[in-house]
């Protein structure tokens, strides 16, 4: 379970990137965090990953405060970035092996890696190819394979579908659904409203560091999510 | 966890093209430089032997002979020629005790930038390669987002940093140590320098230790800059700037700055002053001796007329020999004291200037390492000082063995002078003096003399590591 309590981040230059965020993502839930660039989505993820320290408030993963025991919390979280960058001179399998070991899975063999790579839809002939020859979509799939193999109860995804072709994006969504069904708490930051509509259990819209809207699936399916999003964005543009 | 990170770093470094470029470079230049250095040493040794032989054959023993003591080339100069070509290398003794020192001259006008010996390869070539190896070790991963992936796992940042340092450093050492081993075997097989003997091997090990410490320092510097630089382009630019400052600017500019801060006249001016002082004292001595001679002559032969022919009178000479001693002693003492005073004063000022230059140049870790290589190869300042001490001893040896075996008398009167030489040892008893048992400074003494510089490099190494550690563990992954 992922929890943010009054989570606030103000950078050294005075910019308020996240303003008292309160959020709870339960096991078996996919939460979509929508918002324009600079709205505070990535800052939220960075705080959960202890990449930056909060100015105030708490980020809690499975009951453990990230600030108090950052190393322990990382056992319970997987992360897929917007643009998965791995070791270009290593093959997909070698990358998977390295990150699996980092994530504490040291007993896996080649066949286990192949199974996971098949699961995320990577072509067989790419398994032993160097990552530097991969397209962005293929790299994202390896990134997802790394997140899956870690088998952590919480998954953070930072705009994982940007730059992906529709088929790959759809495959990714299917995998997320499967992970949700397996009881994972999933936080996905994105601009992709269409995916949110099809997959999310809840959505939140962020604007200038604040969570300005929170809707359950039933609620946002009744409203026009796209319209809501645009209204919030427009307000942002019009603000002095 | 650390093992996983370390193995990954080693694998990543080995498959990087830079590793293969460095391997190729090391395999080519390190054995080649040793091969050339051994040839060069062999040539210099043969020149030295020839010079000694020529001196031995062309010199004959006489009361005012000039004995030559020549510095043999150091066998370890195959590691670093250091100051070899600017070192005092020959002492020419003199009956009056004022021996001269000659300095070797570079034998080739293209030597201005120094020879590519082992020291040059380590401090100039490998230092820059160490920076090329590390400049993007952290900034690269930061730039392309790999750290976000790595640090989202339960790993300590210090483990990541240590794995990067140790992994990259170990991989860098493979071609270096392999090439060095090949090179040392070449030296060993050449038979010129018994490199693995107990005489030389400890010094070789110390030089290897200094090289490893120096390269580790450069790795830490590379990691530090790589940690705080926002991207790899900035990192390599900062590192190149530091390398140019420490490798090219500081070593060349420190003597100039110390000369400006604390100017000291050149050796030429000093020698001129000394010669002038000596000439004046001798002139005074001769005037006093002439006065005494005339006085004695007047006492013994008051009625005699001035000896216009200038012939010296034996009776007068004997009396003069008896009475001249206090004058000679007085002038010898004066000469010794005044020349000593002038020399000591000059040496103190030169030493102070050197200390200032040394302090400035110790800002450069490259300079420190280069200096240490020369010191342990017996081609540095300690060895130059050692030769000067032995030159003094050689002069004393020639005083006892040759000059003291002759009694030399000189008489000065108005308008005339004469001299006589009496040999008090049998013919053939006096051998041509040779500086054949040349003693190098014991390794232990060289080590103690240079311990400060070794510790200074270690301090730089630690400082850079702490810098890298703080920068890396405290940066925000955004």
């Amino acid at each position: 379970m992922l929890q943010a309590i009054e989570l606030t981040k103000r950078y050294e230059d005075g910019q308020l990137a996240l303003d008292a965020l309160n959020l709870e993502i339960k096991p078996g839930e996919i939460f979509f965090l929508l918002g324009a660039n600079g709205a505070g989505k990535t800052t939220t993820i960075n705080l959960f990953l202890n990449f930056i320290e909060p100015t105030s408030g708490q980020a809690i993963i499975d009951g453990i405060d990230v600030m108090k025991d950052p190393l322990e919390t990382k056992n319970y979280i997987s992360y897929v970035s917007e643009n998965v960058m791995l070791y270009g001179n290593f093959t997909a399998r070698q990358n998977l092996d390295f990150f699996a070991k980092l994530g504490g899975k040291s007993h896996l063999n080649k066949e286990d890696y192949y199974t996971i790579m098949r699961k995320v839809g990577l072509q067989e002939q790419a398994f032993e190819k160097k990552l530097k020859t991969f397209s962005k979509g293929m790299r994202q799939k390896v990134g997802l394979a790394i997140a899956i193999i870690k088998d952590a109860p919480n998954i953070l995804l930072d705009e994982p579908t940007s730059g992906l072709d529709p088929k790959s994006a759809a495959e990714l969504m299917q995998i997320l659904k499967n992970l949700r069904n397996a009881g994972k708490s999933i936080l996905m930051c994105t601009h992709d409203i269409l995916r949110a509509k099809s997959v999310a259990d809840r959505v939140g819209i962020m604007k200038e560091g604040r969570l300005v809207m929170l809707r359950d699936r039933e609620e946002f399916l009744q409203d026009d999510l796209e319209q809501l999003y645009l209204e919030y964005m427009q307000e942002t543009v019009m603000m002095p | 966890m650390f093992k996983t990170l370390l193995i990954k770093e080693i694998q990543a470094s080995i498959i990087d093209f830079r590793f293969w470029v460095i391997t190729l470079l090391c395999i080519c230049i390190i054995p080649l430089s040793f091969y050339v250095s051994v040839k060069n040493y062999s040539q210099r040794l043969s020149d030295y032997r020839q010079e000694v032989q020529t001196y031995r054959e062309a010199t004959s023993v006489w009361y005012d002979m000039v004995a030559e003591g020549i510095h043999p080339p150091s066998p370890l100069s195959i590691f670093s020629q250091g100051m070899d070509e600017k070192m005092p290398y020959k002492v020419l003794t003199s009956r009056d005790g004022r021996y001269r020192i000659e300095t070797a001259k570079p034998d080739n006008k293209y030597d201005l930038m120094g020879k590519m010996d082992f020291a040059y390869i380590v401090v100039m070539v490998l230092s820059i390669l160490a920076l090329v190896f590390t400049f993007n070790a952290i900034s690269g991963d930061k730039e392309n987002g790999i750290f976000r992936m790595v640090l989202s796992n339960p790993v300590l940042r210090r483990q990541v940093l240590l794995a990067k340092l140790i992994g990259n450093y170990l991989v860098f050492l493979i071609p270096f140590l392999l090439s060095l081993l090949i090179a040392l075997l070449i030296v060993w097989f050449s038979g010129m320098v018994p490199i693995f003997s107990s005489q030389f091997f400890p010094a070789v090990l110390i030089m290897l230790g200094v090289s490893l410490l120096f390269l580790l320092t450069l790795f830490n510097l590379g990691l530090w800059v790589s940690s705080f630089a926002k991207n790899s382009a900035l990192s390599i630019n900062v590192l190149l700037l530091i390398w140019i400052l420490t490798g090219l600017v500081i070593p060349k500019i420190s003597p100039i700055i110390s000369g400006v801060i604390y100017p000291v006249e050149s050796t030429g001016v000093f020698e001129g002053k000394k010669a002038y002082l000596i000439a004046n004292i001798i002139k005074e001595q001769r005037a006093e001796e002439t006065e005494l001679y005339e006085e004695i002559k007047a006492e013994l032969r008051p009625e005699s007329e001035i000896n216009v022919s200038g012939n010296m009178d034996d009776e007068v000479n004997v009396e003069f020999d008896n009475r001249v001693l206090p004058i000679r002693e007085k002038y010898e003492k004066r000469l010794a004291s005044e020349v000593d005073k002038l020399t000591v004063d000059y040496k103190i000022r030169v030493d102070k200037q050197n200390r200032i230059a040394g302090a400035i140049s110790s800002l450069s870790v490259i300079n420190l390492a280069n200096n240490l290589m020369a010191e342990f190869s017996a081609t540095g300042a300690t060895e130059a000082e050692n030769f000067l001490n032995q030159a003094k001893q050689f002069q004393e040896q020639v005083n006892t063995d040759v000059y003291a075996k002759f009694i030399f008398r000189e008489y000065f009167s108005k308008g005339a002078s004469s001299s006589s030489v009496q040999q008090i040892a049998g013919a053939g008893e006096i051998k041509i003096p040779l500086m054949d048992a040349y003693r190098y400074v014991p390794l232990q003494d060289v080590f103690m003399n240079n311990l400060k510089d070794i510790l200074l490099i270690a301090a730089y190494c630690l400082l850079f590591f702490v810098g890298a550690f703080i920068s890396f563990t405290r940066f925000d992954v955004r």
Side-chain angles (χ1 to χ4, degrees):
Chain A
M1 186 163 72
L2 297 164
Q3 283 172 284
I5 304 168
E6 294 293 313
L7 194 57
T8 304
K9 176 67 188 178
R10 188 183 285 277
Y11 288 115
E12 294 82 11
D13 58 7
Q15 183 207 347
L16 186 63
L18 196 64
D19 189 4
L21 175 72
N22 285 296
L23 191 66
E24 190 177 296
I25 303 160
K26 294 187 181 67
E29 182 183 27
I30 300 181
F31 187 94
F32 268 55
L33 203 52
L34 303 171
N37 290 332
K41 303 188 300 292
T42 303
T43 300
T44 308
I45 285 193
N46 285 347
L47 287 164
F48 272 111
L49 287 168
N50 191 237
F51 287 171
I52 51 176
E53 290 182 5
T55 311
S56 62
Q58 287 175 292
I60 296 170
I61 298 170
D62 283 2
I64 307 165
D65 188 337
V66 170
M67 274 297 283
K68 285 188 183 143
D69 197 349
L71 212 58
E72 179 62 17
T73 57
K74 285 178 185 177
N75 285 311
Y76 307 113
I77 199 149
S78 292
Y79 167 63
V80 180
S81 66
E82 177 184 359
N83 193 1
V84 173
M85 291 303 290
L86 300 162
Y87 295 101
N89 280 333
F90 285 3
T91 65
R93 200 249 316 149
Q94 284 173 321
N95 269 290
L96 206 52
D97 177 54
F98 169 65
F99 283 102
K101 281 176 179 155
L102 277 196
K105 299 276 183 282
S106 51
H107 55 277
L108 302 172
N109 58 34
K110 201 186 256 191
E111 209 37 60
D112 296 326
Y113 299 131
Y114 285 179
T115 309
I116 296 285
M117 285 192 278
R118 276 185 208 111
K119 196 171 168 183
V120 295
L122 202 65
Q123 294 156 325
E124 295 268 342
Q125 61 267 35
F127 292 177
E128 296 294 341
K129 271 196 178 159
K130 286 191 175 174
L131 247 287
K132 62 185 173 193
T133 62
F134 279 27
S135 67
K136 190 187 172 194
M138 288 162 82
R139 284 205 314 270
Q140 292 300 103
K141 283 176 182 171
V142 179
L144 197 62
I146 287 170
I148 293 171
I149 214 162
K150 190 171 175 184
D151 195 24
N154 305 283
I155 302 170
L156 303 175
L157 299 107
D158 193 0
E159 304 186 14
T161 52
S162 79
L164 285 193
D165 61 79
K167 182 173 171 280
S168 301
E171 283 169 2
L172 178 78
M173 290 307 120
Q174 189 51 51
I175 292 166
L176 286 188
K177 278 183 193 170
N178 295 343
L179 290 168
R180 183 229 353 238
N181 296 340
K184 313 283 184 196
S185 308
I186 299 167
L187 169 63
M188 176 160 155
C189 297
T190 184
H191 304 288
D192 195 341
I193 300 163
L194 289 178
R195 304 282 167 211
K197 276 164 83 175
S198 68
V199 181
D201 296 314
R202 270 195 304 159
V203 296
I205 295 179
M206 288 197 83
K207 190 182 79 177
E208 291 167 351
R210 293 183 69 90
L211 187 64
V212 291
M213 188 215 84
L214 198 60
R215 293 278 196 281
D216 285 341
R217 186 161 184 85
E218 294 79 35
E219 292 170 337
F220 72 70
L221 284 179
Q222 284 169 11
D223 302 333
D224 184 348
L225 184 61
E226 205 167 354
Q227 189 58 38
L228 268 174
Y229 181 75
L230 285 174
E231 275 170 21
Y232 280 112
M233 291 305 105
Q234 209 159 18
E235 276 175 34
T236 312
V237 173
M238 285 166 71
M239 278 182 75
Chain B
M1 196 62 70
F2 178 71
K3 195 176 149 201
T4 306
L5 289 164
L6 184 63
I7 291 171
K8 193 278 299 173
E9 285 301 331
I10 290 174
Q11 285 174 339
S13 302
I14 287 177
I15 53 182
D16 193 296
F17 80 98
R18 283 174 293 188
F19 169 73
W20 296 102
V21 170
I22 289 166
T23 304
L24 191 68
L25 212 59
C26 283
I27 296 276
C28 289
I29 62 174
I30 294 180
L32 181 70
S33 88
F34 270 96
Y35 177 75
V36 173
S37 293
V38 166
K39 288 272 167 204
N40 181 270
Y41 168 69
S42 151
Q43 180 62 47
R44 285 184 297 136
L45 188 64
S46 144
D47 289 352
Y48 160 75
R49 284 177 180 152
Q50 207 174 331
E51 209 171 339
V52 171
Q53 186 66 21
T54 310
Y55 155 70
R56 202 193 290 243
E57 284 167 5
T59 312
S60 49
V61 171
W62 186 233
Y63 81 99
D64 65 346
M65 74 172 293
V66 175
E68 289 184 6
I70 305 163
H71 189 290
S74 158
L76 286 174
S77 63
I78 57 170
F79 281 84
S80 166
Q81 290 208 10
M83 294 163 55
D84 223 20
E85 288 177 340
K86 295 167 198 153
M87 288 250 273
Y89 106 109
K90 191 194 257 186
V91 51
L92 301 158
T93 66
S94 161
R95 185 176 173 81
D96 60 17
R98 290 186 295 278
Y99 56 92
R100 283 189 299 119
I101 300 286
E102 273 187 8
T103 303
K105 296 205 168 40
D107 52 23
N108 191 318
K109 64 179 176 177
Y110 300 107
D111 275 352
L112 287 172
M113 295 295 282
K115 291 201 170 76
M116 197 168 81
D117 48 26
F118 176 70
Y120 183 87
I121 291 172
V122 172
V123 303
M124 299 304 274
V125 182
L126 293 184
S127 67
I128 203 161
L129 292 179
L131 299 181
V132 168
F133 218 66
T134 49
F135 80 96
N136 68 346
I138 291 169
S139 61
D141 283 3
K142 230 183 329 184
E143 217 172 356
N144 61 26
I146 286 183
F147 274 143
R148 292 183 69 84
M149 294 292 291
V150 172
L151 295 175
S152 67
N153 289 290
V155 287
L156 290 166
R157 287 196 191 192
R158 61 169 179 266
Q159 287 181 330
V160 177
L161 180 71
L162 272 178
K164 285 217 170 279
L165 175 65
I166 298 171
N168 280 283
Y169 182 62
L170 288 180
V171 170
F172 188 84
L173 291 188
I174 297 170
F176 170 60
L177 293 177
L178 188 69
S179 317
L180 186 61
L181 183 67
I182 296 171
L184 293 182
L185 288 174
I186 290 174
V187 174
W188 188 54
F189 281 119
S190 76
M192 284 305 298
V193 183
I195 204 83
F196 297 113
S197 69
S198 60
Q199 187 189 358
F200 298 120
F201 199 55
V204 174
L205 283 182
I206 292 177
M207 279 190 272
L208 178 63
V210 168
S211 308
L212 297 182
L213 176 64
F214 169 72
L215 292 173
L216 184 63
T217 307
L218 270 287
F219 264 74
N220 280 330
L221 174 67
L223 286 181
W224 184 15
V225 174
S226 191
S227 296
F228 72 69
K230 284 202 176 103
N231 54 54
S232 303
L234 178 65
S235 175
I236 190 73
N237 280 310
V238 171
L239 286 170
L240 279 180
L241 191 69
I242 294 173
W243 187 86
I244 289 168
L245 273 175
T246 54
L248 302 178
V249 177
I250 292 176
K252 297 279 176 192
I253 210 167
S254 54
I256 300 172
I257 294 176
S258 73
V260 172
I261 295 173
Y262 190 78
V264 176
E265 69 269 21
S266 72
T267 323
V269 173
F270 162 72
E271 289 296 341
K273 271 189 188 171
K274 195 164 101 177
Y276 183 70
L277 175 75
I278 293 167
N280 270 342
I281 294 174
I282 288 175
K283 201 170 146 192
E284 277 180 44
Q285 182 185 356
R286 286 201 176 156
E288 208 168 310
E289 283 189 21
T290 308
E291 206 178 302
L292 176 70
Y293 196 87
E294 291 301 324
E295 222 178 270
I296 295 168
K297 212 158 77 172
E299 280 170 21
L300 295 178
R301 306 262 190 275
E303 72 289 351
S304 70
E305 291 181 2
I306 295 164
N307 187 348
V308 286
S309 69
N311 288 337
M312 309 299 266
D313 192 319
D314 284 347
E315 202 182 334
V316 177
N317 286 357
V318 171
E319 182 59 20
F320 176 80
D321 283 343
N322 290 335
R323 285 166 60 182
V324 79
L325 288 174
I327 297 175
R328 290 203 171 147
E329 267 175 31
K330 180 179 86 178
Y331 277 98
E332 261 172 35
K333 273 186 192 160
R334 189 178 150 197
L335 199 63
S337 112
E338 290 191 23
V339 170
D340 261 14
K341 195 177 155 219
L342 194 73
T343 313
V344 167
D345 173 62
Y346 183 68
K347 192 172 180 301
I348 288 172
R349 286 182 298 130
V350 168
D351 283 351
K352 188 169 175 185
Q353 194 186 53
N354 282 341
R355 273 202 305 277
I356 295 172
I360 300 168
S361 67
S362 55
L363 290 172
S364 155
V365 70
I366 290 181
N367 207 58
L368 286 170
N370 199 24
N371 193 39
L372 285 171
M373 293 290 193
E375 284 287 292
F376 289 108
S377 298
T379 54
T382 306
E383 184 48 37
E385 193 69 36
N386 178 44
F387 178 74
L388 293 180
N389 288 335
Q390 292 201 48
K392 206 172 175 181
Q393 287 168 17
F394 184 59
Q395 167 70 42
E396 282 159 16
Q397 178 201 328
V398 179
N399 276 348
T400 321
D401 295 352
V402 181
Y403 300 139
K405 300 285 178 359
F406 293 91
I407 294 174
F408 176 68
R409 294 188 181 89
E410 250 184 324
Y411 309 100
F412 300 98
S413 71
K414 282 179 181 165
S417 70
S418 74
S419 60
S420 71
V421 175
Q422 186 191 345
Q423 187 171 342
I424 57 172
E429 276 182 30
I430 310 171
K431 293 203 175 87
I432 293 173
L434 289 170
M435 199 191 206
D436 45 9
Y438 188 79
R439 293 176 305 279
Y440 286 99
V441 185
L443 183 61
Q444 201 181 349
D445 293 359
V446 180
F447 185 81
M448 292 316 289
N449 277 353
N450 291 287
L451 187 60
K452 186 174 71 74
D453 282 2
I454 297 175
L455 292 177
L456 201 53
I457 298 183
Y460 276 121
C461 188
L462 190 65
L463 173 76
F464 296 155
F465 178 73
V466 170
F469 186 84
I470 293 172
S471 294
F472 184 70
T473 50
R474 297 184 67 171
F475 88 91
D476 280 353
V477 186
R478 288 208 209 169

